[in-house]
Amino acid sequence: MSSSAPSDSDIVVNERTALLDAGQQGQKKATPLPKLQIAILLLALLVEPIAAQSIYPYINQLVSELDITGGDERKVGYYAGLIESLFFATQALTILQWSRTSDRVGRKPVLLLGIFGLSLSMLCFGLSRTLLGLIFSRCITGALNGNIGVMKSMMGELTDSTNMAQGFALMPVAWSLGATIGPMIGGALEHPQQHFPNIFSGAFWSQFPYFLPSAVAAVFAVTCFLMILFFLKETLPRQRTQEKSMSALDGEALNVSGNAVEDSPVSIRSLFVPSILIPVINYGCIATLEIAMFALQPLFYSTPIELGGLGFDPITIGLWMGAFGIVNGVLQIIIFAPLVNKFGPKTVFRSCEACFIPIFALFPITNIIARQHGINWLVWFLLTCSLLLSVFMDMAFGCILMFITAAAPNRRSLGATNGLAQMTASIVRAIGPATSTSLFAYSVQHKLMGGYAVYAVFVIMTVFAVRIAAKLPGSPGKKE
């Protein structure tokens, strides 16, 4: 730390003090990222999208095969949305407490427990042949998984105001890679006895046709568990102080401010101030729209053309959804940090959030063309446009995470702040899949606006969300 930096005595820390001083941003040379630690953290981040999205290509088919709907294909959306929502519903009940626990006992123990629970639940999901079994396995995942809030806290502790954009830009990249691998695993490995009869010919694979993709996801989770256990260092300031190592992690810088050692976690009530609530509310808005889009996509792809979809099979769905992850990861690395540095996170956030308007509008347009001309080049062109818009939309998450991290009262309250944000996102993500897929099914069943009413609802919601984003400060940590 330079001699011109403020001393501990000059800094007053309370629940209204931003974690990052906006006045210092842009005035320092960028600090090198601690590559080894961030690489391990990003590897852990891969686990959740792989586990969550590996079920998307086949979840509608699974619901149909279990005869939950009584043969009525129009009701598949209701039950598929319910199963997808349960993870976030149970996560919303526990994630704030997991995040607060990480402020006290450390990030690493909570992270390990969450990944262990994820691997266990995926094995249970693959062995489930009843609706109750599917529900139970998804609830295990959500209740034990406080990972995402903890990982965001760790990224905030591994970066500072000079390299935060670069650090948080990598999180969507890792998520996108997981979102690429997950659907591909689910789409390619479901019913292995049909796709690979020479290898998976036993009666077990016929009885449990979705165990293989679940087992692969579980094995990946166990591998990440071991990597974290042996190689990831604790980032909580108190733990690092006890180890008397404030400056290096295997030769890499760990950015912990001098006054952070004396910081103490603030109360939950202290987090309910405008400087924290405004970024959290905006995070909730973008999470609502995103989970609705991702829940509608596989349903739209799998639903027959005459009922408002495109009639794709699980393999096609998995490959196309995986393509989003590849394109998203590449573009995030290339353009996110330059865009934020040039236009600022607020402008980038609002512009990316507005991409939901054409994304939702393209669903009915694509189906109308498919009804008239079948799956032709124009359908694939519109799907490609939607994919590219989704990539730009995803950049909004990197921006809002910068605002949330900067709003934390101090580093010992970073977990609670991220936990509050993630709890909000989990609540809306619990409601989102069931609501959006039910709206889809209801629109089709009752032919509301030709079966396309669900998309009009989310276009209107996007307009309101963009207006709410205007309340964000001009830059992370700035008081307005």
Side-chain angles (χ1 to χ4, degrees):
M1 186 176 291
S2 65
S3 59
S4 60
S7 64
D8 293 355
S9 60
D10 295 328
I11 301 174
V12 178
V13 179
N14 56 44
E15 64 270 18
R16 291 178 176 80
T17 304
L19 182 59
L20 298 180
D21 184 355
Q24 294 178 353
Q25 294 183 24
Q27 297 178 5
K28 299 179 181 179
K29 184 179 178 180
T31 306
L33 292 172
K35 298 181 179 61
L36 176 62
Q37 295 303 299
I38 286 183
I40 298 172
L41 187 63
L42 295 177
L43 182 64
L45 186 59
L46 287 173
V47 176
E48 188 170 316
I50 288 177
Q53 299 195 30
S54 64
I55 74 170
Y56 282 3
Y58 62 77
I59 185 62
N60 299 295
Q61 181 175 297
L62 173 59
V63 170
S64 297
E65 289 181 2
L66 295 182
D67 199 26
I68 296 171
T69 64
D72 188 349
E73 292 295 320
R74 295 173 300 178
K75 295 181 180 179
V76 168
Y78 293 113
Y79 292 97
L82 172 63
I83 294 170
E84 292 167 8
S85 297
L86 284 170
F87 167 82
F88 297 107
T90 50
Q91 185 185 63
L93 297 175
T94 60
I95 191 167
L96 181 57
Q97 295 307 316
W98 284 126
S99 297
R100 294 191 71 198
T101 299
S102 77
D103 282 335
R104 291 170 169 80
V105 305
R107 315 296 186 202
K108 188 172 175 178
V110 176
L111 196 60
L112 288 170
L113 180 61
I115 291 180
F116 172 78
L118 192 68
S119 61
L120 178 64
S121 70
M122 287 309 297
L123 292 175
C124 292
F125 191 89
L127 294 172
S128 299
R129 297 300 297 163
T130 64
L131 177 61
L132 184 61
L134 297 175
I135 289 174
F136 177 72
S137 64
R138 295 298 280 177
C139 288
I140 292 176
T141 311
L144 293 180
N145 196 336
N147 287 2
I148 189 65
V150 175
M151 285 185 279
K152 291 171 183 176
S153 299
M154 295 185 79
M155 182 62 75
E157 289 162 342
L158 289 167
T159 59
D160 59 24
S161 61
T162 66
N163 59 13
M164 182 174 286
Q166 288 80 5
F168 277 107
L170 295 174
M171 296 191 77
V173 173
W175 186 275
S176 297
L177 180 59
T180 300
I181 298 172
M184 288 183 175
I185 290 173
L189 300 184
E190 53 88 26
H191 283 90
Q193 78 282 7
Q194 296 177 6
H195 302 309
F196 314 102
N198 294 331
I199 302 174
F200 303 98
S201 57
F204 175 85
W205 302 108
S206 298
Q207 185 178 359
F208 302 103
Y210 302 102
F211 178 76
L212 183 60
S214 299
V216 170
V219 168
F220 185 83
V222 171
T223 303
C224 289
F225 179 94
L226 296 175
M227 291 291 292
I228 294 168
L229 179 64
F230 292 113
F231 299 109
L232 185 64
K233 306 295 183 180
E234 180 60 68
T235 61
L236 187 67
R238 183 180 62 180
Q239 302 287 358
R240 297 297 305 163
T241 303
Q242 290 173 349
E243 295 172 11
K244 298 182 180 180
S245 177
M246 294 289 293
S247 60
L249 286 173
D250 296 331
E252 304 176 42
L254 175 63
N255 301 296
V256 179
S257 60
N259 64 306
V261 180
E262 298 177 0
D263 290 343
S264 298
V266 300
S267 65
I268 291 295
R269 182 178 298 179
S270 299
L271 300 178
F272 288 87
V273 293
S275 61
I276 295 176
L277 290 179
I278 290 174
V280 167
I281 291 171
N282 275 278
Y283 184 47
C285 290
I286 194 77
T288 301
L289 297 169
E290 183 223 27
I291 196 64
M293 182 193 76
F294 281 128
L296 286 171
Q297 275 183 341
L299 184 57
F300 175 74
Y301 293 155
S302 65
T303 300
I305 293 176
E306 62 273 14
L307 294 179
L310 295 178
F312 290 165
D313 58 32
I315 294 179
T316 303
I317 296 172
L319 292 175
W320 187 250
M321 293 185 73
F324 162 78
I326 297 173
V327 177
N328 190 27
V330 172
L331 290 183
Q332 288 273 359
I333 293 174
I334 296 173
I335 66 177
F336 176 76
L339 281 177
V340 171
N341 291 334
K342 183 173 183 178
F343 298 105
K346 180 177 180 179
T347 300
V348 175
F349 176 77
R350 296 189 72 194
S351 300
C352 293
E353 190 174 43
C355 289
F356 277 114
I357 295 175
I359 287 173
F360 285 117
L362 282 173
F363 280 104
I365 294 172
T366 305
N367 175 252
I368 290 171
I369 294 174
R371 285 174 186 255
Q372 296 177 351
H373 306 289
I375 306 298
N376 61 5
W377 68 269
L378 185 55
V379 169
W380 288 109
F381 173 77
L382 293 177
L383 289 175
T384 302
C385 291
S386 178
L387 182 148
L388 292 175
L389 286 167
S390 299
V391 169
F392 282 99
M393 171 279 299
D394 204 50
M395 294 183 189
F397 284 95
C399 295
I400 200 62
L401 292 180
M402 294 172 65
F403 281 99
I404 292 170
T405 299
N410 53 58
R411 291 194 182 273
R412 293 297 308 283
S413 299
L414 187 55
T417 304
N418 275 307
L420 178 63
Q422 199 60 41
M423 182 184 71
T424 303
S426 296
I427 291 172
V428 299
R429 283 170 173 163
I431 301 171
T435 302
S436 57
T437 55
S438 295
L439 279 173
F440 178 94
Y442 191 83
S443 299
V444 170
Q445 194 170 1
H446 298 277
K447 300 188 183 301
L448 299 179
M449 297 180 65
Y452 304 130
V454 56
Y455 308 116
V457 170
F458 286 109
V459 167
I460 294 171
M461 289 178 63
T462 302
V463 173
F464 281 102
V466 173
R467 292 180 63 87
I468 293 172
K471 301 293 185 181
L472 286 168
S475 60
K478 183 178 180 181
K479 296 293 185 292
E480 293 192 348

